Amino acid sequence: MGNVIVHKSISLDGYVAGPNVSMENPMGEGGEALHSWMFGAPAPIDQEVAAWMTASAGAVVCGRHTFELGLPHWEDTPYPAPTFVLTRTGRPPLPARSASFTFVTDVAAAVRQAVEVAGGRDVIVMGAETSRAVLRAGLLDRVQLNLVPLLLGAGARLFDGVSVALEQEFSVSSPAVTHVRYRVVPS
């Protein structure tokens, strides 16, 4: 059985995106550096972690904001899996070369549908706001943080307004990043 999991690269000061997120800067100012460990010449352990993250994905849940900012880049998405987009208003599904996008208005329904189509693989939750909503709903099983030695100073924080107990399951590092996976402890 797969997990409902958040994979996030995060700065030392707790940001998962830099300030001033826009179409031109989908990760905010300086935010692209959060993913530098995956590109260029990543260390073998970083390549393994990135490959595991991609291979484990059976479905994705994201928010409208992540969808709108990411769609132009998603034709070659690392998660070519069915994607459920949380939105305030429904709309017809959108088939794309990389994945199908289904629009859902309820977080529990989005996660339930994603679990159903994931076929025992992981459901990847994307976007800080959506991750917080899934956490608040008690639907998240795991959090994979990729701690990058970078200070952004501002932007989007993953755990703003959320109280959660985590139990460390795994940790490995390279000079570019420390990967830590946690199990969400039910409250």
Side-chain angles (χ1 to χ4, degrees):
M1 171 104 182
N3 291 292
V4 178
I5 186 168
V6 167
H7 294 290
K8 281 290 179 196
S9 292
I10 190 166
S11 66
L12 289 177
D13 52 353
Y15 295 100
V16 294
N20 303 315
V21 171
S22 66
M23 288 299 282
E24 298 76 34
N25 255 333
M27 289 298 301
E29 294 170 9
E32 289 296 324
L34 290 169
H35 300 291
S36 61
W37 64 272
M38 289 191 280
F39 305 106
I45 191 63
D46 298 337
Q47 291 174 348
E48 286 179 38
V49 169
W52 169 77
M53 288 168 34
T54 301
S56 72
V60 174
V61 173
C62 72
R64 180 193 53 80
H65 195 74
T66 299
F67 168 76
E68 288 176 353
L69 292 177
L71 185 62
H73 310 284
W74 282 25
E75 283 304 310
D76 297 313
T77 182
Y79 301 111
T83 300
F84 296 84
V85 182
L86 282 170
T87 181
R88 287 189 180 94
T89 57
R91 69 182 248 198
L94 173 66
R97 190 178 73 211
S98 63
S100 62
F101 298 91
T102 302
F103 301 87
V104 185
T105 58
D106 176 74
V107 66
V111 171
R112 184 180 63 253
Q113 289 177 48
V115 167
E116 287 173 8
V117 302
R121 295 171 67 201
D122 290 342
V123 172
I124 309 302
V125 180
M126 299 176 77
E129 189 173 323
T130 300
S131 297
R132 288 190 294 272
V134 172
L135 261 170
R136 278 190 216 95
L139 301 171
L140 196 66
D141 300 311
R142 302 285 186 281
V143 176
Q144 166 83 35
L145 296 180
N146 306 297
L147 185 60
V148 179
L150 168 73
L151 298 173
L152 290 174
R157 290 187 186 269
L158 180 59
F159 297 112
D160 267 359
V162 175
S163 177
V164 62
L166 301 172
E167 180 180 277
Q168 185 175 323
E169 293 184 318
F170 171 84
S171 176
V172 66
S173 64
S174 74
V177 61
T178 299
H179 308 281
V180 187
R181 187 170 50 238
Y182 299 95
R183 180 179 73 84
V184 176
V185 179
S187 51

mmCIF file of all heavy atoms in Angstrom, residues 33-57:
data_model
loop_
_atom_site.group_PDB
_atom_site.id
_atom_site.type_symbol
_atom_site.label_atom_id
_atom_site.label_comp_id
_atom_site.label_asym_id
_atom_site.label_seq_id
_atom_site.Cartn_x
_atom_site.Cartn_y
_atom_site.Cartn_z
ATOM 1 N N ALA A 33 16.821 27.539 -6.460
ATOM 2 C CA ALA A 33 18.009 26.962 -5.821
ATOM 3 C C ALA A 33 17.656 25.824 -4.869
ATOM 4 O O ALA A 33 18.507 24.988 -4.543
ATOM 5 C CB ALA A 33 18.788 28.053 -5.080
ATOM 6 N N LEU A 34 16.387 25.761 -4.418
ATOM 7 C CA LEU A 34 15.967 24.665 -3.547
ATOM 8 C C LEU A 34 16.077 23.315 -4.244
ATOM 9 O O LEU A 34 16.201 22.278 -3.596
ATOM 10 C CB LEU A 34 14.525 24.872 -3.085
ATOM 11 C CG LEU A 34 14.284 26.011 -2.106
ATOM 12 C CD1 LEU A 34 12.792 26.271 -1.952
ATOM 13 C CD2 LEU A 34 14.916 25.688 -0.760
ATOM 14 N N HIS A 35 16.025 23.317 -5.562
ATOM 15 C CA HIS A 35 16.061 22.061 -6.316
ATOM 16 C C HIS A 35 17.398 21.835 -7.016
ATOM 17 O O HIS A 35 17.517 20.924 -7.824
ATOM 18 C CB HIS A 35 14.911 22.030 -7.323
ATOM 19 C CG HIS A 35 13.582 22.140 -6.666
ATOM 20 N ND1 HIS A 35 13.060 21.138 -5.882
ATOM 21 C CD2 HIS A 35 12.686 23.141 -6.629
ATOM 22 C CE1 HIS A 35 11.897 21.514 -5.404
ATOM 23 N NE2 HIS A 35 11.647 22.740 -5.840
ATOM 24 N N SER A 36 18.396 22.623 -6.673
ATOM 25 C CA SER A 36 19.706 22.486 -7.326
ATOM 26 C C SER A 36 20.321 21.113 -7.081
ATOM 27 O O SER A 36 21.098 20.625 -7.901
ATOM 28 C CB SER A 36 20.655 23.590 -6.857
ATOM 29 O OG SER A 36 20.858 23.489 -5.459
ATOM 30 N N TRP A 37 19.977 20.458 -5.989
ATOM 31 C CA TRP A 37 20.524 19.136 -5.696
ATOM 32 C C TRP A 37 20.086 18.073 -6.704
ATOM 33 O O TRP A 37 20.707 17.024 -6.831
ATOM 34 C CB TRP A 37 20.146 18.692 -4.277
ATOM 35 C CG TRP A 37 18.673 18.505 -4.042
ATOM 36 C CD1 TRP A 37 17.776 19.452 -3.638
ATOM 37 C CD2 TRP A 37 17.936 17.297 -4.200
ATOM 38 N NE1 TRP A 37 16.516 18.903 -3.528
ATOM 39 C CE2 TRP A 37 16.589 17.577 -3.868
ATOM 40 C CE3 TRP A 37 18.273 15.999 -4.586
ATOM 41 C CZ2 TRP A 37 15.588 16.609 -3.920
ATOM 42 C CZ3 TRP A 37 17.267 15.041 -4.636
ATOM 43 C CH2 TRP A 37 15.945 15.357 -4.304
ATOM 44 N N MET A 38 19.017 18.348 -7.467
ATOM 45 C CA MET A 38 18.516 17.381 -8.447
ATOM 46 C C MET A 38 19.103 17.589 -9.837
ATOM 47 O O MET A 38 18.992 16.716 -10.683
ATOM 48 C CB MET A 38 16.993 17.477 -8.556
ATOM 49 C CG MET A 38 16.269 16.955 -7.356
ATOM 50 S SD MET A 38 14.499 16.778 -7.635
ATOM 51 C CE MET A 38 13.945 18.464 -7.432
ATOM 52 N N PHE A 39 19.684 18.761 -10.080
ATOM 53 C CA PHE A 39 20.131 19.095 -11.429
ATOM 54 C C PHE A 39 21.635 19.292 -11.471
ATOM 55 O O PHE A 39 22.295 19.341 -10.448
ATOM 56 C CB PHE A 39 19.392 20.350 -11.914
ATOM 57 C CG PHE A 39 17.902 20.193 -11.824
ATOM 58 C CD1 PHE A 39 17.175 20.847 -10.839
ATOM 59 C CD2 PHE A 39 17.222 19.352 -12.693
ATOM 60 C CE1 PHE A 39 15.801 20.680 -10.735
ATOM 61 C CE2 PHE A 39 15.854 19.181 -12.595
ATOM 62 C CZ PHE A 39 15.142 19.847 -11.618
ATOM 63 N N GLY A 40 22.174 19.458 -12.659
ATOM 64 C CA GLY A 40 23.620 19.616 -12.785
ATOM 65 C C GLY A 40 24.287 18.261 -12.640
ATOM 66 O O GLY A 40 24.005 17.331 -13.382
ATOM 67 N N ALA A 41 25.141 18.132 -11.649
ATOM 68 C CA ALA A 41 25.846 16.876 -11.389
ATOM 69 C C ALA A 41 25.537 16.406 -9.973
ATOM 70 O O ALA A 41 26.375 16.502 -9.076
ATOM 71 C CB ALA A 41 27.343 17.070 -11.580
ATOM 72 N N PRO A 42 24.319 15.903 -9.740
ATOM 73 C CA PRO A 42 23.959 15.497 -8.381
ATOM 74 C C PRO A 42 24.793 14.313 -7.898
ATOM 75 O O PRO A 42 25.231 13.480 -8.690
ATOM 76 C CB PRO A 42 22.484 15.120 -8.491
ATOM 77 C CG PRO A 42 22.233 14.864 -9.927
ATOM 78 C CD PRO A 42 23.239 15.661 -10.695
ATOM 79 N N ALA A 43 24.996 14.259 -6.597
ATOM 80 C CA ALA A 43 25.709 13.140 -5.988
ATOM 81 C C ALA A 43 24.893 11.862 -6.201
ATOM 82 O O ALA A 43 23.665 11.918 -6.331
ATOM 83 C CB ALA A 43 25.911 13.411 -4.503
ATOM 84 N N PRO A 44 25.552 10.708 -6.217
ATOM 85 C CA PRO A 44 24.812 9.456 -6.418
ATOM 86 C C PRO A 44 23.654 9.267 -5.435
ATOM 87 O O PRO A 44 22.578 8.821 -5.835
ATOM 88 C CB PRO A 44 25.884 8.375 -6.232
ATOM 89 C CG PRO A 44 27.151 9.054 -6.650
ATOM 90 C CD PRO A 44 26.998 10.482 -6.182
ATOM 91 N N ILE A 45 23.823 9.617 -4.177
ATOM 92 C CA ILE A 45 22.733 9.441 -3.210
ATOM 93 C C ILE A 45 21.563 10.362 -3.542
ATOM 94 O O ILE A 45 20.403 9.989 -3.393
ATOM 95 C CB ILE A 45 23.208 9.623 -1.746
ATOM 96 C CG1 ILE A 45 22.106 9.163 -0.774
ATOM 97 C CG2 ILE A 45 23.610 11.058 -1.467
ATOM 98 C CD1 ILE A 45 21.754 7.707 -0.861
ATOM 99 N N ASP A 46 21.860 11.568 -4.029
ATOM 100 C CA ASP A 46 20.792 12.490 -4.429
ATOM 101 C C ASP A 46 20.050 11.956 -5.655
ATOM 102 O O ASP A 46 18.822 12.081 -5.753
ATOM 103 C CB ASP A 46 21.355 13.882 -4.708
ATOM 104 C CG ASP A 46 21.998 14.502 -3.485
ATOM 105 O OD1 ASP A 46 21.654 14.100 -2.353
ATOM 106 O OD2 ASP A 46 22.864 15.381 -3.657
ATOM 107 N N GLN A 47 20.786 11.343 -6.581
ATOM 108 C CA GLN A 47 20.148 10.720 -7.742
ATOM 109 C C GLN A 47 19.225 9.586 -7.301
ATOM 110 O O GLN A 47 18.122 9.441 -7.827
ATOM 111 C CB GLN A 47 21.201 10.178 -8.710
ATOM 112 C CG GLN A 47 21.997 11.247 -9.399
ATOM 113 C CD GLN A 47 23.125 10.665 -10.242
ATOM 114 O OE1 GLN A 47 23.465 9.494 -10.156
ATOM 115 N NE2 GLN A 47 23.724 11.521 -11.060
ATOM 116 N N GLU A 48 19.666 8.807 -6.320
ATOM 117 C CA GLU A 48 18.842 7.705 -5.806
ATOM 118 C C GLU A 48 17.558 8.230 -5.179
ATOM 119 O O GLU A 48 16.479 7.676 -5.394
ATOM 120 C CB GLU A 48 19.620 6.890 -4.772
ATOM 121 C CG GLU A 48 20.686 6.003 -5.354
ATOM 122 C CD GLU A 48 21.445 5.244 -4.274
ATOM 123 O OE1 GLU A 48 20.807 4.815 -3.276
ATOM 124 O OE2 GLU A 48 22.663 5.085 -4.420
ATOM 125 N N VAL A 49 17.677 9.287 -4.360
ATOM 126 C CA VAL A 49 16.493 9.847 -3.709
ATOM 127 C C VAL A 49 15.526 10.396 -4.755
ATOM 128 O O VAL A 49 14.322 10.144 -4.699
ATOM 129 C CB VAL A 49 16.885 10.930 -2.675
ATOM 130 C CG1 VAL A 49 15.660 11.700 -2.190
ATOM 131 C CG2 VAL A 49 17.618 10.295 -1.502
ATOM 132 N N ALA A 50 16.037 11.133 -5.737
ATOM 133 C CA ALA A 50 15.175 11.687 -6.788
ATOM 134 C C ALA A 50 14.504 10.572 -7.586
ATOM 135 O O ALA A 50 13.305 10.664 -7.902
ATOM 136 C CB ALA A 50 15.975 12.600 -7.704
ATOM 137 N N ALA A 51 15.233 9.511 -7.892
ATOM 138 C CA ALA A 51 14.662 8.391 -8.643
ATOM 139 C C ALA A 51 13.583 7.697 -7.824
ATOM 140 O O ALA A 51 12.529 7.330 -8.357
ATOM 141 C CB ALA A 51 15.762 7.404 -9.034
ATOM 142 N N TRP A 52 13.824 7.522 -6.525
ATOM 143 C CA TRP A 52 12.818 6.898 -5.664
ATOM 144 C C TRP A 52 11.552 7.758 -5.619
ATOM 145 O O TRP A 52 10.436 7.236 -5.704
ATOM 146 C CB TRP A 52 13.380 6.701 -4.250
ATOM 147 C CG TRP A 52 12.323 6.319 -3.274
ATOM 148 C CD1 TRP A 52 11.747 5.086 -3.119
ATOM 149 C CD2 TRP A 52 11.661 7.181 -2.357
ATOM 150 N NE1 TRP A 52 10.776 5.131 -2.152
ATOM 151 C CE2 TRP A 52 10.699 6.412 -1.667
ATOM 152 C CE3 TRP A 52 11.786 8.539 -2.040
ATOM 153 C CZ2 TRP A 52 9.877 6.957 -0.685
ATOM 154 C CZ3 TRP A 52 10.975 9.065 -1.063
ATOM 155 C CH2 TRP A 52 10.029 8.282 -0.403
ATOM 156 N N MET A 53 11.718 9.074 -5.480
ATOM 157 C CA MET A 53 10.563 9.967 -5.409
ATOM 158 C C MET A 53 9.718 9.837 -6.677
ATOM 159 O O MET A 53 8.488 9.763 -6.617
ATOM 160 C CB MET A 53 11.017 11.418 -5.217
ATOM 161 C CG MET A 53 11.556 11.709 -3.841
ATOM 162 S SD MET A 53 12.418 13.295 -3.625
ATOM 163 C CE MET A 53 11.598 14.425 -4.690
ATOM 164 N N THR A 54 10.365 9.809 -7.831
ATOM 165 C CA THR A 54 9.655 9.719 -9.099
ATOM 166 C C THR A 54 9.020 8.344 -9.280
ATOM 167 O O THR A 54 7.856 8.236 -9.648
ATOM 168 C CB THR A 54 10.613 10.022 -10.263
ATOM 169 O OG1 THR A 54 11.148 11.339 -10.076
ATOM 170 C CG2 THR A 54 9.905 9.958 -11.602
ATOM 171 N N ALA A 55 9.775 7.285 -8.984
ATOM 172 C CA ALA A 55 9.286 5.924 -9.191
ATOM 173 C C ALA A 55 8.128 5.577 -8.270
ATOM 174 O O ALA A 55 7.275 4.759 -8.625
ATOM 175 C CB ALA A 55 10.430 4.928 -8.997
ATOM 176 N N SER A 56 8.078 6.186 -7.096
ATOM 177 C CA SER A 56 7.031 5.839 -6.130
ATOM 178 C C SER A 56 5.683 6.471 -6.456
ATOM 179 O O SER A 56 4.658 6.062 -5.923
ATOM 180 C CB SER A 56 7.460 6.248 -4.715
ATOM 181 O OG SER A 56 7.423 7.651 -4.557
ATOM 182 N N ALA A 57 5.660 7.473 -7.332
ATOM 183 C CA ALA A 57 4.444 8.256 -7.578
ATOM 184 C C ALA A 57 3.415 7.488 -8.397
ATOM 185 O O ALA A 57 3.673 7.086 -9.525
ATOM 186 C CB ALA A 57 4.796 9.562 -8.282
#
